[in-house]
Amino acid sequence: MVICLASAWGIVYICFIRGIETIGKAVYVTATFPYLVLTIFLIRALTLPGATEGLVYLFTPKVQVLKDPKVWLDAATQIFFSLSLAFGGLIAFSSYNPQKNNCERDAVIVGVINSATSIYASIPIFAILGFKATSNYNDCLDGNILSITNAFNIGDQNVTRENYDSWLKHLNTTHSQEIEDLHLKHCNLQEFLDQSASGTGLAFIVFTEAVIKMPGSQVWAVLFFVMLFSLGLSSMFGNLEGILTPLLDLHVVPKWLPKEAFTGLICLISFLFALIFTMGSGNYWLEIFNNYVGSLPLLIIAFFEIISVVYIYGIGRFSDDIEWMTGRRPNLYWQATWRVISPGMLLVVFLAYIVVQVQQPATYAAWNPNYINFPMTETLDYPGWVFAICILLSSVPCIFIPIVAIYRFIQWIMRRVRQSQNRNPCENHAYEPELQ
């Protein structure tokens, strides 16, 4: 895994050597190839047994789940990730556009394509997850059927998946103690579907298990992970550009340090930090970073970004900038979204998440082979020291907002003090000399 990680960062660095020129050429491949793979998966997935159950699960709303603030936080996080909001990548890439670029049109196009892509990608994913859940459900039934036939000397093919419930009901009535001693697994298709669609293990564990069970699994596995690699490259292009562009534009990097060397240094540091995900506990660290670094801080950063633009920089000045770029001022929809709707929704989701986190202990899903309901995950509480790390990781990305704000405010006060000290004490603006 370390070699794969180093290779991935090596490819990212190669694509960044020439700057935006090489990135633009690489994006032609990394942005279009996933659509091709998804189309291939879609055609194959719809022919698998259990695909219908997966699609029904996808498009059936659950009111109880929608009441959970964490679900809305996850939804907001997904939008932030897919649109690269609050990462800086969009702002960095947009800085290469012409000054008179129609940013309103681009925003609408990107938002529509992003939502359409999410729906399009979810169909083959959940069709395959339905196939996996059905396979696990059938394996669970087969295991119970084998235990029953061996324990009661029932002939083969007498107990089948179709009549299993009636056999179990009958044996529970006549031989309840013997059935209890067998410790039969609880087989429920809905629970397997719930298990299939949760956590970061969806791509790396659950979906991988589903692909293995598909005919010609080697081909599908290669296609799937090449697609994931392409998506990862596209994400890293935006994230890394969001770091390099402001540092270079603000002249934070010394002029004697070549851009290629600085880019390599950033990639090397990122690689060293990412080594934690290559350990045996890497999936659990990935879950921590996904839940506490890649979710809550994004809400906070985006909230302060929109507050700064609308209420500090000023919505009037911002609208003037948009009018200068596009030739027309933002309409009522954009005004209401920027002023009230977006910051209000971000604030509500944030406060609701905090309330839920205070009331409930932090938990994680453990893949325990000794768990009685394996391959379902076992829910365990985080140890105290891990929860402290979670809080620290959530705070570090946001702590620079008040620090820089206080620093800028002190600079502004000192500048006003210097201006007042350098003013001529004899100067009187109220005095107007008489003109002869």
Side-chain angles (χ1 to χ4, degrees):
M1 291 186 67
V2 175
I3 296 175
C4 293
L5 179 66
S7 302
W9 275 108
I11 294 174
V12 171
Y13 174 67
I14 292 173
C15 294
F16 266 86
I17 287 180
R18 295 283 301 277
I20 195 66
E21 297 178 4
T22 53
I23 296 174
K25 295 177 181 178
V27 166
Y28 283 119
V29 178
T30 59
T32 57
F33 181 74
Y35 285 99
L36 175 62
V37 176
L38 282 175
T39 303
I40 298 173
F41 268 104
L42 175 63
I43 297 173
R44 181 67 183 97
L46 294 178
T47 63
L48 294 172
T52 303
E53 285 75 10
L55 295 180
V56 170
Y57 180 85
L58 169 63
F59 291 107
T60 302
K62 294 183 178 180
V63 179
Q64 192 63 31
V65 175
L66 294 177
K67 295 179 181 179
D68 186 0
K70 191 176 185 303
V71 172
W72 291 97
L73 179 67
D74 293 339
T77 302
Q78 176 59 36
I79 291 295
F80 276 50
F81 272 108
S82 58
L83 289 175
S84 292
L85 302 178
F87 283 96
L90 272 180
I91 299 176
F93 280 127
S94 63
S95 65
Y96 295 101
N97 285 329
Q99 292 185 349
K100 292 288 186 178
N101 180 62
N102 191 343
C103 57
E104 181 182 7
R105 178 200 61 199
D106 292 348
V108 173
I109 291 175
V110 170
V112 171
I113 292 178
N114 174 75
S115 299
T117 300
S118 298
I119 296 175
Y120 183 71
S122 66
I123 294 175
I125 296 296
F126 274 85
I128 294 176
L129 291 179
F131 161 72
K132 177 187 179 297
T134 302
S135 299
N136 288 341
Y137 173 69
N138 290 336
D139 292 342
C140 180
L141 288 181
D142 292 341
N144 288 352
I145 291 173
L146 181 62
S147 299
I148 290 175
T149 54
N150 291 338
F152 295 96
N153 295 321
I154 302 174
D156 294 340
Q157 305 301 323
N158 285 333
V159 183
T160 63
R161 297 171 184 170
E162 289 73 20
N163 62 17
Y164 168 77
D165 290 333
S166 59
W167 268 98
L168 183 62
K169 183 178 180 180
H170 170 71
L171 292 174
N172 266 325
T173 304
T174 57
H175 303 82
S176 58
Q177 185 60 43
E178 291 85 344
I179 289 293
E180 183 179 352
D181 293 338
L182 290 178
H183 300 293
L184 299 177
K185 292 184 178 180
H186 177 66
C187 303
N188 187 294
L189 180 59
Q190 186 64 35
E191 291 182 0
F192 282 112
L193 286 170
D194 292 337
Q195 183 66 33
S196 296
S198 62
T200 54
L202 172 65
F204 302 105
I205 298 177
V206 176
F207 199 86
T208 304
E209 292 179 351
V211 169
I212 291 175
K213 294 183 178 181
M214 293 171 59
S217 59
Q218 293 85 353
V219 176
W220 301 111
V222 170
L223 284 175
F224 176 68
F225 282 104
V226 171
M227 180 188 70
L228 281 185
F229 183 66
S230 299
L231 292 173
L233 285 180
S234 298
S235 300
M236 288 315 305
F237 290 158
N239 294 341
L240 199 56
E241 190 69 27
I243 297 173
L244 294 175
T245 298
L247 293 178
L248 294 173
D249 290 349
L250 294 175
H251 305 291
V252 177
V253 182
K255 294 183 178 180
W256 53 265
L257 183 63
K259 179 182 177 181
E260 293 80 4
F262 180 68
T263 303
L265 180 62
I266 295 295
C267 291
L268 178 61
I269 294 174
S270 301
F271 164 74
L272 294 177
F273 275 106
L275 288 176
I276 190 175
F277 303 118
T278 63
M279 301 188 303
S281 59
N283 184 65
Y284 299 112
W285 284 111
L286 181 62
E287 187 77 19
I288 290 174
F289 272 75
N290 180 67
N291 291 337
Y292 294 94
V293 182
S295 57
L296 195 62
L298 294 180
L299 285 179
I300 298 175
I301 294 171
F303 176 79
F304 281 104
E305 279 184 352
I306 195 169
I307 291 297
S308 301
V309 171
V310 175
Y311 295 104
I312 298 179
Y313 180 76
I315 190 65
R317 295 168 63 186
F318 186 65
S319 298
D320 293 339
D321 296 337
I322 300 296
E323 184 179 14
W324 181 83
M325 294 177 64
T326 64
R328 59 183 180 276
R329 296 183 71 82
N331 56 35
L332 181 61
Y333 167 77
W334 297 112
Q335 296 281 347
T337 301
W338 294 334
R339 290 174 184 267
V340 180
I341 298 176
S342 292
M345 292 182 65
L346 291 173
L347 184 61
V348 168
V349 173
F350 169 73
L351 294 178
Y353 176 77
I354 294 299
V355 171
V356 171
Q357 287 296 106
V358 171
Q359 295 176 347
Q360 300 177 356
T363 60
Y364 68 101
W367 294 86
N368 182 10
N370 298 323
Y371 182 46
I372 187 172
N373 293 324
F374 187 81
M376 299 179 65
T377 57
E378 181 181 8
T379 301
L380 300 174
D381 293 339
Y382 277 122
W385 64 273
V386 175
F387 187 65
I389 293 177
C390 295
I391 297 176
L392 179 64
L393 292 175
S394 299
S395 305
V396 168
C398 307
I399 195 65
F400 292 98
I401 296 176
I403 291 177
V404 174
I406 294 173
Y407 173 72
R408 292 295 186 184
F409 182 69
I410 293 175
Q411 279 188 324
W412 179 77
I413 293 178
M414 294 179 63
R415 186 166 57 250
R416 293 294 299 270
V417 170
R418 285 196 298 266
Q419 290 177 353
S420 63
Q421 291 176 347
N422 295 333
R423 186 176 300 170
N424 187 353
C426 299
E427 183 178 3
N428 187 357
H429 294 285
Y431 172 74
E432 296 182 1
E434 297 181 358
L435 299 178
Q436 300 296 333

